[in-house]
């Protein structure tokens, strides 16, 4: 794929600017290409054919280009070759022509010699011998002639005299028959027949002496020649023919010899009249040309042919082999001075033209490069197509994987939910089984089975949570909640366990942490429960200490869980937040659990925009720290806050206000925690390290000490002293002696102590300390008297009872059966229940003023459903509140309550449905699933009723 | 002697309950119901169950009427009745009836009269079965209570 990006560079020079522009253009183009390309992405086939076409066009184009290059280069080479041939041919022709002309000139010179010395002198100064000798010696000047002869013009009338004078008869030229050289016999020749005139040869060079006495006019070529020569006055050439005797191909050059010097414009007739004789030169063309060519280098590279082309249709070869070759040929004309005769030289290369290797290699190179580029393109496109296919494949797989993931989460959620239902059956049956007559072993078995079942249910709940978190379906709600109350609740859940183990469990929340925060209390609880639960599991002795202090940021608090447990082995520390990972296989055997809790906690903390971390040293302990961001409850909710404080803690605070407590504890941190809890009740606190100091502080008399809280540790250690101490306390004359409390975290202590010490049993307060429980204990100790409050550490079922006791609750359901069941369940928890069988009745009952503490309302009712009824009730309340505020209605008429808001809880059978939001939207405060579960009921109810002790009548 | 008889009767009751659980007729909600019974309301379970039967009979009658109307099957009203029946059945822990009602409701949502009729018949059959079994159960309980004198409640 073409990457398009514009570099962010600052160029300075002009050239650079141009470059930049160019680059932009290129990227722009590539973008366009990309765009274009994307248009095709939809249909794969189209895209494929598109680049296939391009590829084919590319290959064809470059094949054509390479062919053209080949053609161009080879034609260049051919041209060059032709030029070379022409040059060589012309050179040869020129040379031949020059040499011929030289010879011709010489022959002409000889004709002048003859006319001067033979005809001009009387008697002639030349005879045959002289002529032969002379010609022999001047042969070098006529390199092309093989011989020269002179024939005189003899008229018939002079023949006899001439023959007598010469001593031989004039002979006829032999017929042009192939005569063999050896057979030639001069004596056997016939005498010439009688004609008007004769031209017998009288002088001849030795090389052709056999022509002496032959009549030139009797030979066909010679006759033509002679006649043309005397008429023109110039040298004339015969056509090539076989020469006498030698029988070789030759031409004869003839010049006429005139008696007088003729003017150049003489008519042919005058010339004929003035003719004395004829000088002829014999040219052996073949040998001559051969000789000539031998003088030149590179003879062997070309073939030379010489033709007489006087008759253009039938050129007569004068030299050269008659090879028919249609190859490259060059023709240059030869001018031998005879305008009648035309000659030409045809040249040809001997060898065939060499292969144009350069052209071939160049074009093949080009083709190869083009093919390679094409191949690269092809490979690239293939690769792109493949990558794209892969991409689509991946996309599909990804979708499938995601779908599978969703399906997995759904499956987990469904299965978990489905398993929960039968598990309830199993647990119920086990519960029933426990009530039957069983022996000890059987009891044990059933107990184990029930514990396992419970563990399984909690595991399933955790898995359900995990699945929800993974599928991102878990959403945090943002409601106002009291951090301290939640921590108290959690502590109460674990108090049983911690008491059993004798581990001290304590919570300390810094004062700067706001009273109410906005966030998801349920999930926050879950985190704390997970972490504290883990700590309890692994801590055998010592303490577990939970602190909350605000971070500098504001809304988020830092929560620390510190324990003195076995710690986490270093090698396992990196994976403790991974789901289903445990330190080792033995852990789950010893302590149970699934290892999912921390993972869930981590996810939840992340959802709260916080971080979780830990520090752990094996055999010393671990500290888990997490932050969570909560919004501080703003001013607009302060009214509500006030209301809550009024109804809940203020009653307690007012009760204890002005009291002073003394804590006897040598350990400062523990004392600080105790002080924190007692101070929450509005009691002033002093801390002293041991019993002796108590008296000094009491004795100082500045303040009246109402209560003394002593750590169990101190009490045990100074048991002897303690009896004394108690006596002393009694004797102090302040009217009412201070109440004595012992703070302990061990259940066993409660039992043993209450059994043994008969003298004076101080009230025992079980740790962990919680404000509500503390308040209750104090109230009992002061009001009712000496009663051990052993209830706080028990199961949520009892806690619900604790919360609902004496509450007046309205239950609304159209279904009589459901109504009875719900009412029964709530009654069981100690509530005072009023039933209503429809929304309308509920509305009339809940019209303020009323004295209901809460309302449980069915959602699905035929006439008016729960949502509608709630809306109407809320409207009603809102109107009345408004009117009270505006003073239209007197507060007294409405039981001194300024802000009417009865908690309404929805009852529904569908728990999975996201009804919660809808419930909240309609002004409900929460919901419970219809067959009441103690735990859930407790959770929901506890948000409104913090402690029954607060409003105990 | 009497004590032994009470124990046997209690075992019978448990066996019967276990049988019903095993068949899927009842679920743990029934146990929860039993747990709600204590000194203050000694006959809580039987009271609730009696109300249930009373209401259910009325609902079943209505349903039968609606289903048999055929042409003008009033599915909306049928749905309301069924919801009531589902609610009360699940409250007493009559699991199988609840499930049949859910199927019935689905059939009525799809406007499928034949399926409705079939579901209705099944519902009536199972209703009778449950009624008989629970009657049996309460009879045994009655005997046990008589045998055990005044030992309340069943569960401590």
């Amino acid at each position: 794929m073409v990457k398009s990006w514009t570099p962010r560079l600052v160029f300075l020079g002009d050239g650079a600017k141009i470059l930049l522009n160019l680059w932009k253009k290129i990227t722009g183009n590539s973008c366009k290409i990309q765009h274009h390309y994307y248009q095709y992405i939809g249909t794969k086939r189209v895209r494929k054919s598109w680049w296939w076409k391009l590829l084919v066009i590319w290959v064809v184009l470059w094949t054509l280009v390479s062919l053209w290059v080949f053609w161009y280069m080879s034609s260049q080479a051919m041209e060059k070759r032709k030029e070379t041939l022409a040059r060589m041919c012309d050179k040869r022709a020129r040379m031949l022509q020059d040499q011929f002309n030289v010879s011709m000139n010489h022959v002409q010179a000889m004709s002048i010699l003859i006319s001067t010395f033979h005809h001009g002198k009387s008697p002639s100064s030349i005879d045959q011998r002289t002529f032969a000798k002379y010609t022999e010696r001047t042969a070098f000047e006529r390199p092309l002639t093989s011989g020269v002869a002179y024939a005189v013009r003899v008229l018939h009338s002079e023949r006899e005299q001439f023959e007598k004078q010469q001593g031989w008869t004039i002979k006829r030229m032999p017929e042009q028959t192939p005569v063999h050289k050896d057979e030639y016999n001069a004596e056997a020749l016939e005498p010439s027949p009688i004609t008007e005139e004769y031209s017998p040869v009288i002088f001849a060079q030795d090389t052709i002496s056999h022509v002496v006495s032959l009549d030139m006019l009797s030979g066909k070529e010679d006759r033509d020649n002679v006649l043309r020569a005397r008429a023109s006055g110039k040298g004339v050439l015969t056509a090539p023919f076989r020469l006498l005797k030698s029988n070789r191909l030759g031409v004869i050059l003839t010049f006429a010899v005139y008696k007088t010097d003729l003017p150049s414009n003489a008519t042919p007739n005058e010339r004929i009249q003035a003719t004395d004789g004829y000088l002829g030169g014999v040219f052996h063309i073949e040998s001559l040309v051969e000789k000539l060519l031998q003088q030149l280098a590179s003879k062997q590279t070309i073939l030379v042919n010489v033709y007489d082309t006087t008759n253009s249709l039938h050129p007569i070869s004068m030299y050269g082999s008659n090879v028919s070759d249609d190859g490259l040929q060059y023709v240059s004309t030869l001018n031998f001075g005879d305008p009648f005769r035309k000659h030409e030289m045809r040249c040809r290369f001997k060898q065939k033209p060499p292969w144009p290797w350069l052209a071939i290699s160049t074009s093949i190179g080009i083709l190869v490069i083009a093919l390679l580029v094409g191949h690269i393109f092809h490979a690239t496109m293939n690769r792109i197509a493949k990558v794209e296919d892969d991409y689509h494949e991946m996309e599909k797989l990804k979708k499938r994987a995601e779908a599978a993931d969703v399906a997995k989460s759904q499956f987990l959620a469904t299965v978990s939910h489905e398993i929960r239902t039968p598990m309830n059956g199993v647990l119920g049956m086990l519960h029933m089984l426990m009530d039957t007559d069983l022996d000890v072993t059987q009891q044990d078995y059933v107990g184990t089975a029930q514990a396992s079942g419970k563990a399984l249910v909690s595991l399933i709940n955790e898995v359900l949570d995990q699945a929800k978190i993974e599928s991102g379906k878990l959403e945090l709600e943002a409601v106002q909640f009291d951090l301290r109350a939640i921590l108290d609740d959690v502590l109460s859940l674990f108090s049983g366990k911690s008491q059993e183990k004798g581990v001290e469990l304590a919570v300390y929340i810094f004062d700067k942490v706001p009273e109410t925060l906005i966030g998801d209390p349920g999930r926050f609880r879950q985190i704390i429960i997970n972490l504290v639960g883990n700590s309890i599991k692994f801590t055998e002795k010592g303490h577990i200490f939970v602190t909350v202090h605000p971070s500098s940021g504001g809304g988020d608090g830092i929560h620390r869980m510190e324990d003195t447990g076995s710690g986490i082995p270093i090698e396992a520390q990196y994976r403790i937040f991974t789901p289903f990972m445990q330190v080792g296989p033995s852990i789950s055997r010893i302590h149970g659990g699934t290892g999912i809790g921390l993972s869930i906690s981590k996810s939840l903390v992340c959802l709260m925009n916080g971080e979780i971390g830990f520090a752990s040293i094996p055999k010393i302990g671990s500290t888990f720290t997490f932050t969570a961001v909560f919004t501080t409850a703003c001013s607009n909710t302060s009214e509500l806050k006030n209301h809550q404080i009024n109804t809940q803690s203020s009653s307690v605070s007012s009760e204890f206000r002005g009291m002073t407590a003394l804590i006897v504890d040598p350990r400062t941190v523990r004392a600080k925690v105790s002080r924190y809890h007692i101070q929450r009740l509005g009691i002033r606190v002093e801390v002293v390290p041991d019993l002796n100091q108590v008296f000094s502080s009491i004795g100082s008399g500045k303040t009246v000490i109402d209560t003394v809280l002593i750590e169990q540790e101190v009490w045990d250690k100074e048991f002897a002293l303690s009896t004394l101490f108690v006596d002393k306390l009694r004797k102090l004359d302040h009217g009412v002696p201070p109440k004595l409390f012992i703070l302990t975290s061990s259940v066993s202590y409660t039992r043993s102590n209450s059994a043994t010490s008969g003298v004076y049993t101080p009230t025992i307060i079980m740790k962990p300390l919680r404000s509500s429980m503390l308040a209750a204990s104090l109230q009992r100790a002061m009001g009712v008297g000496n009663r051990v409050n052993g209830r706080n550490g028990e199961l949520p079922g009892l806690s619900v009872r604790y919360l609902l006791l004496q509450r007046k609750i309205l239950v609304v359901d159209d279904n009589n059966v459901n109504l009875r069941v719900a009412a029964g369940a709530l009654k069981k928890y100690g509530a005072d229940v009023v039933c209503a069988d429809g929304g309308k009745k509920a509305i009339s009952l809940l019209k303020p003023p009323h004295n209901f503490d809460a309302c449980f309302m069915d959602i699905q009712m035929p006439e008016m459903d729960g949502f509608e009824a709630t809306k109407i009730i809320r409207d009603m309340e809102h109107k009345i509140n408004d009117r009270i505020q505006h003073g239209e209605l007197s507060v007294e008429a409405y039981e001194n309550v300024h802000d009417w808001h009865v908690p309404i809880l929805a009852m529904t059978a569908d728990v999975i449905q996201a009804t919660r939001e809808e419930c909240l939207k309609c002004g409900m405060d929460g919901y419970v699933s219809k067959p009441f579960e103690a735990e859930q009921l407790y959770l929901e109810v506890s948000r409104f009723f913090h402690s029954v002790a607060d409003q105990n009548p | 002697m009497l004590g032994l008889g009470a124990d046997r009767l209690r075992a019978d009751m448990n066996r019967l309950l276990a049988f019903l659980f095993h068949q899927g007729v009842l679920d743990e909600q029934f146990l929860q119901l039993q747990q709600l019974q204590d000194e203050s309301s000694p006959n809580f379970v039987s009271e609730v169950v009696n109300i249930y039967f009373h209401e259910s009979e009325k609902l079943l009658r209505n349903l039968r009427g609606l289903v048999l109307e055929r042409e003008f099957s009033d599915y909306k009203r049928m749905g309301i009745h069924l919801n009531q029946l589902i609610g009360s059945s699940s409250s007493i822990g009559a699991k199988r009836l609840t499930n049949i009602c859910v199927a019935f409701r689905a059939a009525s949502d799809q406007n499928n009269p034949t399926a409705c009729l079939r579901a209705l018949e099944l519902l009536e059959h199972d209703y009778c079965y449950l009624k008989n079994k629970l009657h049996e159960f309460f009879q045994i309980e009655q005997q046990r209570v008589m045998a055990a004198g005044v030992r309340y409640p069943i569960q401590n």
Side-chain angles (χ1 to χ4, degrees):
Chain A
M1 188 81 0
V2 189
K3 251 191 183 176
S4 74
W5 51 275
T6 314
R8 283 187 200 160
L9 293 174
V10 181
F11 289 114
L12 290 172
D14 277 357
K17 265 183 195 166
I18 291 166
L19 273 180
L20 189 65
N21 283 339
L22 198 65
W23 172 251
K24 272 183 186 164
K25 231 179 234 175
I26 289 166
T27 50
N29 280 346
S30 68
C31 282
K32 263 184 219 161
I33 290 167
Q34 213 173 4
H35 182 68
H36 195 62
Y37 182 68
Y38 274 131
Q39 285 186 329
Y40 281 118
I41 252 173
T43 50
K44 241 199 260 175
R45 208 163 45 77
V46 170
R47 186 199 54 193
K48 197 167 180 178
S49 70
W50 168 73
W51 63 260
W52 258 109
K53 267 182 206 158
L54 198 70
L55 188 67
V56 168
I57 288 170
W58 171 268
V59 168
V60 167
L61 182 77
W62 280 100
T63 313
L64 289 177
V65 166
S66 70
L67 282 177
W68 179 79
V69 165
F70 173 75
W71 171 81
Y72 179 76
M73 287 185 75
S74 57
S75 73
Q76 285 287 68
M78 192 64 84
E79 203 69 19
K80 207 175 162 191
R81 203 170 138 86
K82 233 185 237 173
E83 260 173 37
T84 315
L85 185 65
R87 213 175 52 236
M88 286 167 88
C89 201
D90 281 344
K91 196 174 162 193
R92 276 157 183 73
R94 221 73 320 126
M95 277 177 71
L96 186 63
Q97 200 178 310
D98 287 350
Q99 295 217 354
F100 192 87
N101 284 344
V102 167
S103 303
M104 203 168 70
N105 286 346
H106 205 261
V107 171
Q108 194 174 6
M110 279 187 77
S111 73
I112 293 160
L113 185 88
I114 295 290
S115 95
T116 314
F117 291 101
H118 181 65
H119 294 288
K121 294 277 168 106
S122 188
S124 160
S125 52
I126 298 173
D127 60 1
Q128 164 62 27
R129 232 164 35 94
T130 329
F131 186 82
K133 211 166 187 179
Y134 176 77
T135 50
E136 189 69 50
R137 290 172 69 184
T138 57
F140 68 90
E141 285 198 282
R142 307 178 300 274
L144 299 184
T145 54
S146 57
V148 193
Y150 178 66
V152 288
R153 187 183 182 205
V154 179
L155 295 173
H156 186 63
S157 54
E158 297 163 351
R159 179 173 173 174
E160 251 173 282
Q161 193 196 340
F162 176 77
E163 280 180 345
K164 214 182 274 172
Q165 193 182 341
Q166 292 293 334
W168 41 257
T169 53
I170 299 169
K171 292 181 187 83
R172 201 168 72 99
M173 273 281 227
E175 285 299 313
Q176 267 305 348
T177 46
V179 186
H180 202 267
K181 198 180 175 181
D182 303 333
E183 284 169 17
Y184 183 78
N185 187 0
E187 303 306 317
L189 294 171
E190 292 168 40
S192 169
I194 296 159
T195 53
E196 206 174 310
E197 60 172 84
Y198 310 95
S199 53
V201 176
I202 51 171
F203 307 132
Q205 202 178 336
D206 283 347
T207 49
I208 51 167
S209 56
H210 58 273
V211 297
V212 173
S213 80
L214 285 181
D215 182 8
M216 282 300 130
L217 287 175
S218 61
K220 188 178 173 284
E221 276 87 8
D222 296 310
R223 184 187 168 82
D224 285 352
N225 235 22
V226 165
L227 294 179
R228 271 202 303 132
R230 71 182 186 191
S232 66
K234 287 176 184 167
V236 292
L237 288 168
T238 61
F241 65 100
R242 297 277 158 193
L243 294 176
L244 278 179
K245 198 175 173 189
S246 68
N247 201 25
R248 279 153 67 183
L249 204 60
V251 289
I252 293 174
L253 171 71
T254 311
F255 275 102
V257 179
Y258 299 103
K259 288 175 192 147
T260 51
D261 245 356
L262 288 170
S264 57
N265 56 353
T267 60
N269 251 344
E270 284 170 351
R271 284 177 192 279
I272 293 165
Q273 290 302 316
T275 305
D276 251 345
Y278 321 96
L279 189 71
V282 178
F283 291 80
H284 272 295
I285 300 289
E286 274 181 72
S287 57
L288 294 178
V289 175
E290 198 82 37
K291 225 188 283 170
L292 175 74
L293 293 181
Q294 262 164 12
Q295 293 168 16
L296 289 165
S298 66
K299 181 187 76 137
Q300 54 273 64
T301 55
I302 57 171
L303 275 173
V304 175
N305 280 20
V306 181
Y307 290 95
D308 182 304
T309 55
T310 310
N311 183 350
S312 60
L313 289 175
H314 300 286
I316 304 157
S317 173
M318 293 163 78
Y319 171 76
S321 54
N322 204 0
V323 185
S324 69
D325 186 5
D326 48 6
L328 189 60
Q329 175 175 289
Y330 183 78
V331 179
S332 44
T333 51
L334 293 167
N335 183 13
F336 290 146
D338 181 356
F340 184 72
R341 292 269 162 211
K342 289 197 178 70
H343 296 90
E344 57 182 40
M345 181 182 271
R346 295 181 184 171
C347 302
R348 218 180 268 131
F349 278 103
K350 256 185 194 162
Q351 279 103 9
K352 293 221 161 181
W355 286 97
W357 289 118
L358 184 68
I360 288 172
S361 57
T362 309
S363 56
I364 285 179
I366 288 172
L367 195 62
V368 164
I369 289 169
L371 285 178
L372 279 176
V373 169
H375 175 75
I376 289 167
F377 177 73
H378 175 76
T380 311
M381 291 314 280
N382 265 345
R383 180 93 194 128
I384 288 171
K386 192 174 176 305
V387 165
E388 224 156 61
D389 288 351
D390 286 356
Y391 170 75
H392 286 303
E393 189 79 359
M394 295 287 180
E395 194 96 307
K396 263 185 226 156
L397 287 178
K398 189 179 160 239
K399 268 181 197 151
R400 268 169 57 190
E402 278 167 357
D405 193 46
V406 170
K408 184 207 82 179
S409 295
Q410 275 177 354
F411 172 77
L412 263 182
T414 321
V415 164
S416 310
H417 189 74
E418 289 301 320
I419 292 174
R420 264 205 306 200
T421 322
M423 268 317 288
N424 284 337
V426 172
L427 286 179
M429 290 311 292
L430 285 172
H431 193 87
M432 264 180 59
L433 190 61
M434 279 180 111
D435 290 333
T436 54
D437 286 334
L438 298 171
D439 61 30
V440 181
T441 330
Q442 285 169 332
Q443 283 274 2
D444 184 40
Y445 290 166
V446 175
T448 314
Q450 198 177 24
S452 312
K454 275 178 183 164
L456 181 58
V457 169
S458 73
L459 163 65
I460 287 162
N461 286 339
E462 280 176 342
V463 169
L464 204 58
D465 273 348
Q466 181 76 21
K468 265 192 201 163
I469 290 170
E470 273 176 14
S471 60
K473 273 180 194 155
L474 191 80
E475 279 173 13
L476 295 181
E477 54 177 359
V479 296
Q480 197 166 325
F481 70 98
D482 186 351
L483 188 75
R484 289 170 176 80
I486 285 182
L487 284 171
D488 281 352
D489 289 346
V490 174
L491 246 59
S492 77
L493 274 180
F494 287 109
S495 54
K497 263 188 194 162
S498 70
Q499 283 157 13
E500 257 170 46
K501 282 189 167 181
V503 173
E504 186 157 346
L505 179 62
V507 167
Y508 182 74
I509 300 169
F510 280 75
D511 293 338
K512 278 177 192 164
V513 176
E515 193 77 22
T516 47
L517 293 167
I518 291 173
D520 190 331
R523 295 302 173 182
F524 176 69
R525 256 176 74 97
Q526 203 178 350
I527 298 169
I528 301 272
I529 287 175
N530 272 330
L531 296 175
V532 174
N534 267 349
S535 291
I536 288 227
K537 238 189 248 173
F538 294 106
T539 307
E540 295 306 328
K541 60 177 194 293
H543 67 265
I544 295 159
F545 187 29
V546 183
T547 53
V548 181
H549 53 92
S551 75
S552 50
D556 51 340
I558 297 170
H559 310 265
R560 270 176 87 231
M561 252 60 54
E562 183 186 302
D563 66 45
T564 55
S566 59
I568 301 159
I570 288 156
E571 68 271 14
Q573 287 189 358
Y574 70 96
R575 53 169 190 203
I576 65 158
F577 289 120
T578 320
F580 304 109
M581 278 291 180
Q582 285 192 325
V583 168
S586 58
I587 293 296
S588 55
R589 270 210 304 279
I590 300 167
H591 300 287
T594 55
I596 205 173
L598 281 175
S599 150
I600 291 172
S601 301
K602 186 174 193 239
S603 309
L604 290 174
V605 168
C606 284
L607 280 174
M608 292 177 182
N609 299 326
E611 282 168 16
I612 189 165
F614 68 97
S616 176
I617 301 166
K619 302 213 166 54
I620 291 179
S622 318
T623 306
F624 278 82
T625 316
F626 75 90
T627 58
V629 180
F630 295 120
T631 0
T632 322
C634 308
S635 53
N636 57 354
T637 53
S638 60
E639 203 180 320
L640 189 67
K641 195 168 137 190
N642 286 336
H643 172 69
Q644 279 186 343
I645 288 167
N646 280 344
T647 53
Q648 286 148 25
S649 55
S650 66
S651 58
V652 181
S653 316
S654 60
E655 207 173 326
F656 297 113
R657 193 145 306 206
M659 289 172 84
T660 310
L662 193 65
I663 296 171
V664 185
D665 191 347
R667 299 200 186 181
T668 46
V669 175
R670 192 167 57 187
K672 206 173 170 188
V673 174
S674 308
R675 186 164 76 174
Y676 152 75
H677 284 287
I678 297 164
Q679 269 178 345
R680 279 172 71 190
L681 298 174
I683 302 172
R684 221 163 55 74
V685 180
E686 283 177 31
V687 179
V688 290
D690 59 49
L691 288 177
N692 291 329
Q693 303 249 350
V694 175
F695 298 111
S696 60
S697 67
I698 292 174
S700 65
K702 273 182 238 162
T703 49
V704 180
I705 307 287
D706 302 288
T707 44
V708 178
L709 297 113
I710 305 168
E711 271 295 324
Q712 178 219 334
E713 206 177 277
V714 182
W715 188 253
D716 284 355
K717 201 169 71 189
E718 306 176 60
F719 194 72
L721 191 68
S722 61
T723 343
L724 201 76
F725 172 76
V726 172
D727 286 345
K728 252 184 178 176
L729 269 186
R730 279 189 180 161
K731 279 170 201 156
L732 277 174
D733 193 24
H734 282 299
V736 190
K739 296 282 176 215
L740 203 56
F741 295 92
I742 287 178
L743 301 170
T744 180
S745 51
S746 169
V747 191
S748 53
Y749 181 79
T750 323
R751 290 180 191 139
S752 61
N753 197 49
S754 56
T756 53
S757 75
V759 197
Y760 173 76
T761 324
T763 312
I764 287 166
I765 296 177
M766 289 298 297
K767 283 188 184 175
L769 293 177
R770 289 176 298 124
S771 60
S772 54
M773 185 265 297
L774 197 62
S777 300
L778 290 176
Q779 274 174 340
R780 291 227 166 74
M782 290 170 172
V784 186
N786 226 350
R787 215 177 92 188
V788 175
N789 179 14
R791 198 182 260 168
N792 57 54
E794 287 176 29
L795 288 167
L798 283 177
S799 299
V800 177
R801 185 185 185 91
Y802 201 50
L803 288 174
L804 289 177
L805 196 63
Q806 305 292 318
R807 299 281 184 184
K808 191 170 181 192
I809 289 172
L810 179 67
V811 180
V812 189
D813 197 328
D814 65 309
N815 192 319
N816 267 330
V817 180
N818 289 351
L819 199 60
R820 278 304 298 266
V821 174
L826 291 171
K827 265 180 196 157
K828 171 105 177 170
Y829 293 129
D832 181 6
V833 181
V834 176
C835 295
D837 60 359
K840 284 183 181 155
K841 195 171 173 192
I843 292 166
S844 66
L845 282 170
L846 285 176
K847 190 173 162 67
H850 61 76
N851 54 357
F852 288 105
D853 292 308
C855 171
F856 285 78
M857 189 164 330
D858 185 36
I859 294 176
Q860 287 179 321
M861 288 188 290
E863 280 170 51
M864 179 187 283
D865 69 14
F867 296 133
E868 204 181 333
T870 309
K871 270 184 205 157
I872 292 169
I873 290 165
R874 289 285 177 247
D875 275 354
M876 206 158 68
E877 284 173 344
H878 191 70
K879 272 179 202 156
I880 286 168
N881 288 343
D882 267 0
R883 288 169 71 183
I884 291 173
Q885 263 182 2
H886 291 110
E888 290 172 35
L889 291 170
S890 65
V891 186
E892 287 75 24
Y894 288 92
E895 301 185 348
N896 287 336
V897 180
H898 293 271
D899 192 8
W900 283 94
H901 180 98
V902 65
I904 299 179
L905 293 160
M907 290 191 294
T908 169
D910 304 318
V911 195
I912 317 166
Q913 219 178 22
T915 42
R916 183 166 194 132
E917 264 175 42
E918 211 174 340
C919 293
L920 296 180
K921 211 165 68 191
C922 296
M924 290 184 172
D925 299 274
Y927 76 93
V928 289
S929 60
K930 213 182 262 175
F932 289 144
E933 288 166 19
E935 177 100 5
Q936 199 196 6
L937 193 61
Y938 175 73
L939 277 182
E940 290 294 331
V941 169
S942 65
R943 299 199 306 183
F944 309 104
F945 316 136
H946 279 260
S947 168
V948 72
D950 301 351
Q951 285 194 344
N952 241 355
Chain B
M1 217 32 218
L2 280 173
L4 274 178
D7 280 349
R8 207 186 60 235
L9 286 170
R10 193 161 148 181
D12 280 349
M13 272 169 70
N14 280 342
R15 209 171 299 128
L16 179 60
L17 267 189
F19 174 70
L20 289 176
F21 267 85
H22 186 70
Q23 282 195 320
V25 175
L26 290 179
D27 64 10
E28 76 276 7
Q29 182 57 31
F30 189 76
L31 298 180
Q32 303 249 343
L33 210 62
Q34 282 191 316
Q35 278 173 19
L36 295 180
Q37 181 166 290
D38 57 12
E39 294 94 333
S40 58
S41 53
N43 290 320
F44 180 73
V45 177
S46 63
E47 272 171 34
V48 170
V49 169
N50 278 332
I51 296 171
Y52 171 72
F53 284 137
H54 184 69
E55 299 254 323
S56 299
E57 239 143 73
K58 224 162 47 189
L59 287 170
L60 279 174
R61 229 182 3 253
N62 289 343
L63 277 172
R64 172 155 278 274
L66 284 171
V67 169
L68 290 181
E69 266 178 49
R70 286 280 165 115
E71 288 115 80
F72 303 108
S73 286
D74 191 343
Y75 291 109
K76 200 180 164 198
R77 273 185 57 199
M78 212 186 279
I80 293 169
H81 289 319
L82 281 171
N83 273 342
Q84 289 233 352
L85 200 54
I86 289 170
S88 51
S89 299
S90 65
S91 273
I92 66 147
K95 187 183 174 190
R96 200 195 283 175
L97 280 184
T98 314
N99 288 342
I100 294 168
C101 285
V102 170
F104 196 167
R105 190 169 61 182
S108 84
D109 283 345
Q110 287 165 0
N111 295 356
N112 187 342
T114 44
C116 282
L117 193 61
R118 223 172 23 239
L120 181 69
E121 277 161 5
L122 196 60
L123 191 62
E124 283 173 339
H125 171 265
D126 269 86
Y127 172 75
C128 288
Y129 182 77
L130 178 73
K131 195 173 176 181
N132 290 338
K133 286 294 170 190
L134 284 182
H135 269 306
E136 193 183 330
F137 177 78
F138 288 124
Q139 260 173 7
I140 299 172
E141 190 183 23
Q142 208 66 40
Q143 286 172 16
R144 191 189 65 79
V145 168
M146 271 156 43
V150 278
R151 250 188 67 188
Y152 279 120
I154 320 166
Q155 265 100 22
N156 321 317

